[in-house]
Amino acid sequence: MTSSVEAGTTRPTACPQKSRSVRDSSSQGGLATLDKELKHLCLDDCCGVHGDRKQSRPRPKFTSTDQSSGVTSRFNNINKIDKSHPVFKQISRKNGEINKLNASEVKAKLGTLKLNTRGRIDILKSRLKSYYKQRQLAAESGFQSMHQQFDYLLVIDYEATCEEPEPPDFVPEIIEFPIVLINTSTLEVEDEFQAFCRPTFNPKLTQFCTDLTSITQSMVDSAELFPDVWKKVCKWMDSKGLGTYYTFAVACDGPWDMNLFLNVQCHLSQVPFPNFCRKWVNICKAMSNFYHLPRMSLKNMLTAHELTFEGRPHRGISDARNIARIAVILMEDGCILDCNDSFDTNFSPNAH
């Protein structure tokens, strides 16, 4: 499904001009009021989100800004530092020593340092290299310690209506909206949000959808419509001070949640597509780049860390929790997460 953006709203080309969802009186009656409340609740002109660096909380002053992601960095941008500095020769020499170690030797060193010893060999070596790199940089004057670029990470993994085989004009609707909130300073999950959404374009779930997600017809029949759930999401975010007192970024395990599911749903429900969802942390891409691994599914990412999936696969809240586990490990290992994926008007799910 290829998508296009018009006048600040999103419109998937496969969608009919008038969706059944907007015929529901409860979704259409308070759209003007809802739009005002969404703007108040950090949807568009909020503080501390991508593109707006104003914050009510005093923050340290930093000079480096990543223009590509619109996020101000909290550390010296090492990529812009003269790599001829002697410390980088020391780091390179240490990396060479680590490359010669076998798995048991790397695990022994990680254990001595009380670091995580789980994972395939390339992950273990990257972890050890990152530890020594941070320690060597910290010992040199002029190099500030590295910190995450935002206070919180909102891990989202939607579940949507689906069919098998899927018709070329099938319109997916979000049926589960989960969020796992990670504090990037403590690396702890502080809270969660979870709600089901009632589909209106295709209100009856297919057996394939129920078998895949374990979401039943009665669950969505008793759920609220997407605009009402979205309103609750924004109130929940506002209660956490996200976008006003604390900076945050959205995280997913790929491009589909924002480019496809939220894009289509916002059009169907006539809800403005939120600016803070136009750029996000792609955890799959971050893991691939940090550990120099090929991109892989959530299950394979967990396997690479010698972990097993916790919960029910293809349930939004379970998927989000497991994506959060990967995100925490990345941050523990020294990966500085950034908004490495963005809204693509030409997105095609068949190309991913």
Side-chain angles (χ1 to χ4, degrees):
M1 181 182 297
T2 304
S3 305
S4 60
V5 178
E6 297 182 58
T9 61
T10 54
R11 182 176 186 148
T13 56
C15 291
Q17 291 185 350
K18 292 184 180 181
S19 69
R20 297 181 201 171
S21 61
V22 300
R23 295 207 302 253
D24 191 297
S25 59
S26 60
S27 67
Q28 140 184 32
L31 283 175
T33 303
L34 174 60
D35 187 44
K36 291 181 180 178
E37 292 190 16
L38 291 179
K39 288 182 178 179
H40 168 68
L41 296 169
C42 316
L43 265 180
D44 293 308
D45 301 320
C46 52
C47 303
V49 189
H50 311 304
D52 190 341
R53 305 266 48 88
K54 296 181 293 181
Q55 299 167 48
S56 59
R57 182 177 62 166
R59 308 288 295 175
K61 293 182 179 179
F62 301 97
T63 57
S64 171
T65 300
D66 180 357
Q67 296 295 338
S68 63
S69 65
V71 178
T72 303
S73 300
R74 297 190 193 171
F75 57 94
N76 286 344
N77 191 334
I78 293 177
N79 292 327
K80 295 181 181 180
I81 295 175
D82 183 6
K83 294 297 180 70
S84 64
H85 191 286
V87 70
F88 291 101
K89 292 183 179 179
Q90 298 171 21
I91 291 171
S92 179
R93 192 178 305 115
K94 193 66 178 178
N95 288 346
E97 294 174 5
I98 293 172
N99 285 336
K100 296 176 182 179
L101 301 177
N102 59 37
S104 59
E105 290 171 330
V106 176
K107 284 189 176 183
K109 284 190 174 291
L110 289 169
T112 301
L113 297 169
K114 297 183 178 180
L115 299 175
N116 185 358
T117 59
R118 285 179 175 268
R120 49 191 277 183
I121 183 62
D122 29 17
I123 288 178
L124 298 178
K125 287 184 177 181
S126 293
R127 183 172 296 143
L128 194 57
K129 290 175 183 178
S130 178
Y131 168 81
Y132 282 116
K133 178 180 179 180
Q134 292 181 60
R135 195 174 74 166
Q136 288 172 299
L137 289 175
E140 295 290 330
S141 59
F143 293 93
Q144 296 178 3
S145 60
M146 298 191 296
H147 302 280
Q148 295 300 326
Q149 302 180 52
F150 15 76
D151 300 312
Y152 285 92
L153 204 61
L154 277 71
V155 182
I156 297 175
D157 191 90
Y158 299 118
E159 294 303 325
T161 54
C162 51
E163 289 187 24
E164 183 65 32
E166 187 173 286
D169 60 346
F170 184 79
V171 179
E173 295 175 84
I174 292 174
I175 54 175
E176 185 183 5
F177 199 136
I179 306 175
V180 175
L181 182 67
I182 303 174
N183 184 319
T184 62
S185 295
T186 64
L187 301 186
E188 293 181 353
V189 173
E190 286 197 359
D191 203 359
E192 294 179 347
F193 176 94
Q194 193 273 345
F196 295 114
C197 305
R198 174 157 48 95
T200 56
F201 190 77
N202 291 301
K204 185 171 177 56
L205 302 183
T206 63
Q207 188 60 48
F208 171 78
C209 184
T210 295
D211 291 343
L212 181 70
T213 66
S214 76
I215 298 173
T216 65
Q217 189 66 47
S218 61
M219 290 176 180
V220 296
D221 285 345
S222 60
E224 294 179 296
L225 296 173
F226 180 82
D228 299 315
V229 173
W230 191 227
K231 185 176 178 181
K232 286 186 175 180
V233 168
C234 295
K235 287 185 176 179
W236 177 81
M237 291 173 62
D238 194 46
S239 72
K240 304 295 179 184
L242 299 171
T244 50
Y245 194 73
Y246 297 108
T247 57
F248 71 95
V250 169
C252 307
D253 69 339
W256 305 277
D257 292 276
M258 302 304 150
N259 275 321
L260 180 60
F261 300 134
L262 185 59
N263 177 21
V264 171
Q265 190 64 60
C266 284
H267 169 67
L268 292 176
S269 300
Q270 296 187 339
V271 171
F273 192 94
N275 280 348
F276 68 75
C277 289
R278 292 185 179 275
K279 294 181 180 180
W280 61 91
V281 179
N282 184 327
I283 295 297
C284 175
K285 189 184 292 187
M287 177 167 163
S288 173
N289 293 341
F290 185 71
Y291 298 120
H292 307 289
L293 297 172
R295 296 192 191 172
M296 54 187 76
S297 65
L298 174 56
K299 179 183 177 181
N300 289 339
M301 284 193 284
L302 292 167
T303 300
H305 285 285
E306 297 183 347
L307 299 172
T308 56
F309 191 96
E310 295 180 354
R312 172 64 158 81
H314 302 295
R315 267 298 291 273
I317 190 63
S318 293
D319 286 352
R321 288 168 180 164
N322 283 279
I323 296 167
R325 293 168 70 197
I326 300 295
V328 168
I329 293 173
L330 279 166
M331 291 187 282
E332 285 176 341
D333 287 351
C335 177
I336 302 300
L337 298 175
D338 63 354
C339 293
N340 56 5
D341 215 340
S342 59
F343 188 82
D344 182 2
T345 58
N346 297 314
F347 177 78
S348 173
N350 294 328
H352 294 77

